[in-house]
Amino acid sequence: MARAALAQGRGLAWLWVDQGVWITALRGGTTVEALNAELAGSEPWEWVDEQPPTAAGEP
């Protein structure tokens, strides 16, 4: 799904926190680095397609 979104000009980014995971579709040209700079002090957002697969129930 992350690669399909990227092909449509949107990158999927995620943020893992103790309550679960937040997922967002960033417009083309928006980077996770820019998002992390805006939200300094929080856990870092990461590109979904650049991370290893995670099975349900695994941290």
Side-chain angles (χ1 to χ4, degrees):
M1 185 162 82
R3 290 186 184 110
L6 194 56
Q8 297 294 318
R10 292 188 179 269
L12 289 183
W14 63 16
L15 169 67
W16 286 91
V17 294
D18 58 349
Q19 296 92 359
V21 63
W22 292 87
I23 298 177
T24 187
L26 298 174
R27 294 181 196 169
T30 304
T31 66
V32 291
E33 292 80 15
L35 187 59
N36 289 331
E38 284 290 320
L39 303 171
S42 74
E43 294 294 322
W45 287 84
E46 302 172 315
W47 291 119
V48 174
D49 65 317
E50 294 178 358
Q51 305 308 310
T54 302
E58 290 184 12

